[in-house]
Amino acid sequence: MISVLRPLPVQQIRLVVFDLDGTLIDSRKDLANSVNAMLAEFGRQTLPVETIASYIGDGAGMLVRRALGNPEDEELVDEALEHFLTWYRAHKLDYTYVYEGVFSSLEGMRTFSDGDGERSMAVLTNKPVGPSRAICEALNLSPYFFQIYGGNSFETKKPDPEGLLKLIGEAGVKPEETLMVGDSAVDLLTAQRAGTWSMGCRYGLSPHTVEKAPADVLVDSPSEWMEAFSSASAAC
């Protein structure tokens, strides 16, 4: 069900920026398997998938740190991170898939309702950029996006607005002409700090957090992205 706090000015929106994990793709099993492989390598107790999923959203470094129990040993964290990334690079597509409804919604959202031109679309994730681009390419998502940036593309990660503002500049649009779509409070705070519109996804890897941050629209599935656009257009 769609919850609208502020109707989206659909005809005004020229850029839509998506989070990746938990928004476009379900990657929890591959991420969890990679974390548990790292934990086993270091003689640690493995963790349930849902526990690991709750650690996702702030980048690979924070994911590994949380899985290790937030140790003060930075050398341990760095070594564990390298083990995690090595495993994940090899197994990032074992079980990861695109959520149902994503492709049809992307098709619908990128074209203005009056048929006059197309919106720009991009990905901004806190996952490292290398595997992010490889996953989008393998799952046929890449053609929809003019740019894919990851957590190591900039000096800062979401919720710092640096990456989103960079995409806004590259697309040649204004913040008020931009929509950020994501499944966590991190994405919604990024939108707020950049001055853009926001759509929170109540599914994915961090849906429990979207109610804790301001969002203009909340949806329960990717299919509702386009429905939110259509209902907003009808209200205009």
Side-chain angles (χ1 to χ4, degrees):
M1 187 177 80
I2 300 173
S3 300
V4 178
L5 285 76
R6 288 199 306 165
L8 298 175
V10 177
Q11 289 303 110
Q12 174 183 315
I13 292 173
R14 298 170 55 201
L15 169 65
V16 185
V17 179
F18 296 88
D19 174 49
L20 183 60
D21 298 284
T23 301
L24 294 168
I25 62 171
D26 188 336
S27 53
R28 76 179 65 207
K29 190 167 183 179
D30 288 332
L31 286 167
N33 287 348
S34 299
V35 167
N36 279 330
M38 175 274 294
L39 291 172
E41 178 71 22
F42 284 82
R44 302 295 185 97
Q45 183 69 40
T46 57
L47 298 170
V49 172
E50 291 307 315
T51 298
I52 295 171
S54 72
Y55 297 158
I56 298 168
D58 294 296
M62 283 302 298
L63 171 59
V64 168
R65 183 181 294 278
R66 289 165 178 160
L68 289 170
N70 294 305
E72 295 182 3
D73 186 343
E74 294 302 320
E75 187 175 334
L76 168 64
V77 174
D78 290 344
E79 189 177 352
L81 175 60
E82 189 54 44
H83 277 274
F84 163 77
L85 289 173
T86 297
W87 182 276
Y88 187 64
R89 289 186 190 105
H91 297 277
K92 61 185 177 294
L93 288 163
D94 287 357
Y95 298 99
T96 294
Y97 63 92
V98 179
Y99 285 114
E100 182 178 356
V102 164
F103 287 113
S104 59
S105 283
L106 290 177
E107 286 287 348
M109 292 170 74
R110 71 177 174 181
T111 304
F112 284 92
S113 60
D114 59 9
D116 186 19
E118 291 190 347
R119 294 182 178 88
S120 297
M121 298 197 292
V123 170
L124 180 62
T125 173
N126 279 343
K127 180 199 290 289
V129 67
S132 298
R133 289 177 174 171
I135 288 170
C136 287
E137 183 67 26
L139 298 181
N140 299 315
L141 287 166
S142 294
Y144 290 95
F145 308 118
F146 80 91
Q147 186 59 272
I148 298 169
Y149 282 135
N152 55 345
S153 296
F154 306 98
E155 291 296 320
T156 61
K157 297 181 176 66
K158 296 180 295 182
D160 189 284
E162 180 183 9
L164 183 52
L165 292 172
K166 176 69 171 176
L167 287 167
I168 290 170
E170 290 182 355
V173 302
K174 302 173 183 176
E176 59 268 27
E177 297 172 324
T178 303
L179 171 68
M180 178 81 209
V181 182
D183 72 310
S184 76
V186 169
D187 302 304
L188 302 182
L189 288 172
T190 304
Q192 182 186 49
R193 292 171 183 177
T196 74
W197 296 84
S198 62
M199 183 183 293
C201 302
R202 292 181 294 208
Y203 62 91
L205 305 183
S206 306
H208 58 286
T209 70
V210 296
E211 305 284 357
K212 301 176 182 178
D216 297 307
V217 177
L218 294 171
V219 298
D220 290 329
S221 72
S223 298
E224 290 184 346
W225 300 344
M226 191 56 209
E227 188 178 337
F229 260 45
S230 298
S231 58
S233 294
C236 293

